[in-house]
Every structure is written in C-alpha cells, then in structure tokens.
Amino acid sequence: MISVIVPVYNAEAYLSRCMESILNQTYRDIRVICVNDGSTDGTGGMLEEFARRDGRVKVICRTNSGLSASRNAGLELAEGEYVMFVDADDWLDGHACADAVEAMERCEADIVFWSYAREYETASSPVRFWPEERVFDGKSMIWLRNRLLGPDGSELARPERLDSYGTAWGKLYRSSLFREGRAAFVDTALIGSAEDVLCNLSLFGAARRAVYIPSTFYHYRKTAAGALTRRYKPDLAAQWEELFRRMAWHVQENGASPEAERALRNRMAVSLIFLGLNVCDAPGSAYVKCGMLRTLLKRDWCRAAVKKLPLAPLPPHWKVFFLNAKLGFVPGLYLLLKAIKRILAR
C-alpha cells in the first residue's frame, strides 16, 4: 500500500484535479490522507465528498498550522510500505504510482524520484534532472545527498534550481525511512523555507539506494513569481541562518567531508540571490535597501561563502552578480536584483 499524504489549505479551485489524478491511478492499493489545515473556503466540503465517494480517502481536520505540521500529521496516520506527498494544487500522471513501485521493487530501493513539469496558465515547462534512469548507492548516494545540501561544479550553472532535487513531492519513500532517519518536517517559522530539503537530508541519509526515473510524472502548478519576490519577510536571513545550522549538523552527523562542506557553503552563497530579492521588497528607499544589502553581505556566513564561491561554472549574468558581491559593490548588486525582479514579474 502507498499512503499518499495531501496537505490542503483553501484549495477549492484546484483540488478536484489533484484528487482525481490520485484516485484514478492505475495502481489501486492506495490510501489518501487529506489534511485540511483550517481551510475557510469550500475545501472541507469537497474533501468530505471525496471521502464519501471513495473509501480509500481519509480526511483529518486541523486548525491552521502550516504545511510542515500538516505533513507530519499525515505521517502519523500513514499505513503500508510506501509514502508519497502530493500538494493540493498539483497533479500526477495516471501511472506514476505503478511505475514508481515497479522501480522500487526491481532495484530494491528505499526512495524513487522522478522529473516534474512546471505548469503555467498557458504553458508547461519540463524539468528533467538526467535523460536516463539512474541508480544511486554507495558513493553515488553520498554524491546525491550532497546535492541536497547545495550545488557544486556544473550544478552551479543553474543556481536558481537550488532545491529542485529536494522537494517532498515527486518521490516515493519506503515508509520505514521516517523512523530510521528520525525524519520530520520543521516549521518554516523556524527555518524560513526548505523544510522538505531538511527532511530529505534525514531520509536520504537513512536510505541505502535511490532510483531516478526520467519521466515527468508530477505536475507542479506555478501561477506566479515565487513568494520570496512578492512579499517582504523581515526575519528571513535569521531563519536561513538556523536552516544552515541544522544542515551543518547533518553534515557532521554523516561524517563531514570537504565535498559536503563545499556544497553547503555554495548553498549559503547562492542564497544571496533570494535574500537580496527579499530585501528589494522591503519598505523604504533605494538608499535604505542598499544599507540592508550591505548589512547582509557583512554577515559572517555570507561573507565567507561568497568569498569562496567559484565563478567559473556560473553563466555570465550570475558571474557579474557574484563578482559585485565579492567586491562588496552594493549599488551594482542592487541594480542587478531590480533587473531580476522585473524579469520574474513578466
């Protein structure tokens, strides 16, 4: 059995497509655990109707506690050998579960993951990690876990894809991994974001073998520019410091290596892009925002990470961005961030 955990909050516009894609899987041995996280629209009634129509659906209702708490609540009720997460505004291809279970059992794996498509209102954009099936174990499993920490080498050519590997969705897990890895989702109020990456560090640390399927089984609805470019979060830099601290703990727990430390350091450097975009959304004049960027660049972790970030693998526009950061040229950095925001807003 696969327990498919679906956290739901005010998703009435998209929920039907998501649920139908799960319930109509060719693989039928499924339990769907829907966690209604205090929805105030028609979501609750829709979930109850799905539960009435299909006995495989179980609905639990909670006061609004956030995505991490909803996923953890679903895990407490999970049954069977496998666990999968689907967000309520996304959907699956009809044979995703069947193909994932087949790969899991054929390769005797603990995790199966696959490509996905970003779904915009008028276009679909596939994100494929590799063109062929890949099996990770031993040293290659360590390499994969390091990619969760951060990019390295050629991975730096697309710093904006920082957490493409680290999502909780787009994967099938052996359920025992959550116990063996003592894995759970941390509240983003503590770490800002990347709660799924942090959880996956524990899961991939406990896994012996993982399999990648080069198929876009998962469809990730992308309706607007990312939240970091829309609304200022005054505590984000401090929250990400806590995220980095927890990631550093994982590095030490799994035997610190130069590769893992470099990957995490690169994550810290690349985070300057998103923290800078967050500063651009702060209230105040350009002068005030440049002061905030200057303060950010002076943080010990930021200064050290940016200093050691290799420029060679970066495409030209990111080379210019991080060269300005290395030189501490804040006006240039601010103008580049404003240009990035304009591009994202298109």
Side-chain angles (χ1 to χ4, degrees):
M1 180 187 287
I2 302 174
S3 284
V4 183
I5 297 171
V6 186
V8 190
Y9 176 72
N10 286 355
E12 65 177 352
Y14 310 115
L15 185 60
S16 289
R17 184 168 194 176
C18 173
M19 291 295 292
E20 296 290 354
S21 79
I22 299 170
L23 295 174
N24 291 331
Q25 288 290 305
T26 58
Y27 189 87
R28 305 300 295 171
D29 195 5
I30 289 173
R31 166 64 62 87
V32 188
I33 303 171
C34 299
V35 184
N36 185 1
D37 191 34
S39 296
T40 57
D41 61 359
T43 292
M46 293 176 69
L47 289 174
E48 292 302 330
E49 176 61 19
F50 276 112
R52 186 189 65 78
R53 283 170 37 195
D54 195 313
R56 296 175 297 169
V57 177
K58 180 177 180 59
V59 178
I60 57 175
C61 299
R62 301 165 46 86
T63 56
N64 183 252
S65 305
L67 179 61
S68 291
S70 293
R71 286 174 172 165
N72 290 335
L75 283 170
E76 291 178 6
L77 298 177
E79 302 175 62
E81 192 169 1
Y82 304 125
V83 171
M84 180 185 290
F85 297 94
V86 179
D87 287 352
D89 50 353
D90 303 336
W91 68 94
L92 295 171
D93 282 355
H95 53 92
C97 291
D99 286 10
V101 169
E102 187 278 329
M104 182 82 84
E105 297 180 348
R106 170 169 49 85
C107 299
E108 297 182 350
D110 298 308
I111 299 172
V112 176
F113 65 109
W114 48 89
S115 300
Y116 65 96
R118 290 192 180 104
E119 300 291 350
Y120 299 89
E121 290 184 7
T122 58
S124 180
S125 176
V127 178
R128 290 188 175 91
F129 306 139
W130 302 284
E132 70 287 326
E133 181 177 295
R134 296 184 64 171
V135 178
F136 298 87
D137 54 16
K139 289 184 179 180
S140 62
M141 192 69 180
I142 295 172
W143 178 89
L144 183 59
R145 191 165 64 243
N146 286 344
R147 296 292 65 74
L148 296 174
L149 285 166
D152 197 17
S154 62
E155 295 280 331
L156 283 166
R158 298 295 302 271
E160 66 274 18
R161 287 191 179 181
L162 177 61
D163 287 330
S164 293
Y165 299 136
T167 59
W169 47 259
K171 295 177 177 64
L172 180 70
Y173 302 95
R174 195 174 297 279
S175 57
S176 59
L177 284 182
F178 287 88
R179 180 182 67 256
E180 295 163 8
R182 302 192 301 278
F185 294 93
V186 178
D187 192 339
T188 55
L190 296 175
I191 60 173
S193 64
E195 73 290 344
D196 41 4
V197 178
L198 197 58
C199 185
N200 270 318
L201 283 172
S202 296
L203 294 167
F204 277 76
R208 297 171 298 101
R209 183 174 295 134
V211 180
Y212 164 74
I213 302 174
S215 300
T216 53
F217 291 150
Y218 194 93
H219 298 267
Y220 169 56
R221 190 182 299 274
K222 196 89 167 142
T223 55
L228 292 180
T229 67
R230 292 199 308 264
R231 181 169 57 86
Y232 176 56
K233 298 180 179 180
D235 300 323
L236 188 61
Q239 290 169 328
W240 278 8
E241 283 188 9
E242 175 62 16
L243 172 66
F244 301 151
R245 187 191 68 77
R246 292 178 184 234
M247 287 183 167
W249 179 86
H250 277 279
V251 170
Q252 296 300 319
E253 281 290 294
N254 286 281
S257 69
E259 294 78 14
E261 291 171 352
R262 185 170 61 246
L264 179 53
R265 187 170 63 240
N266 288 346
R267 168 184 283 275
M268 294 177 181
V270 168
S271 72
L272 179 62
I273 299 169
F274 308 101
L275 289 171
L277 291 171
N278 185 53
V279 166
C280 288
D281 284 324
S285 65
Y287 179 81
V288 169
K289 294 174 184 179
C290 282
M292 295 170 68
L293 285 173
R294 191 171 290 108
T295 299
L296 178 60
L297 287 172
K298 288 181 179 179
R299 288 178 179 258
D300 290 343
W301 62 265
C302 186
R303 184 174 63 250
V306 168
K307 180 180 179 180
K308 291 189 175 183
L309 180 72
L311 295 181
L314 296 168
H317 55 290
W318 292 127
K319 283 182 180 176
V320 174
F321 179 89
F322 284 105
L323 183 59
N324 276 269
K326 285 175 180 284
L327 295 173
F329 186 55
V330 173
L333 202 62
Y334 178 69
L335 290 174
L336 287 166
L337 287 164
K338 293 289 286 183
I340 293 169
K341 279 191 66 64
R342 284 195 293 271
I343 292 170
L344 290 174
R346 290 175 184 172

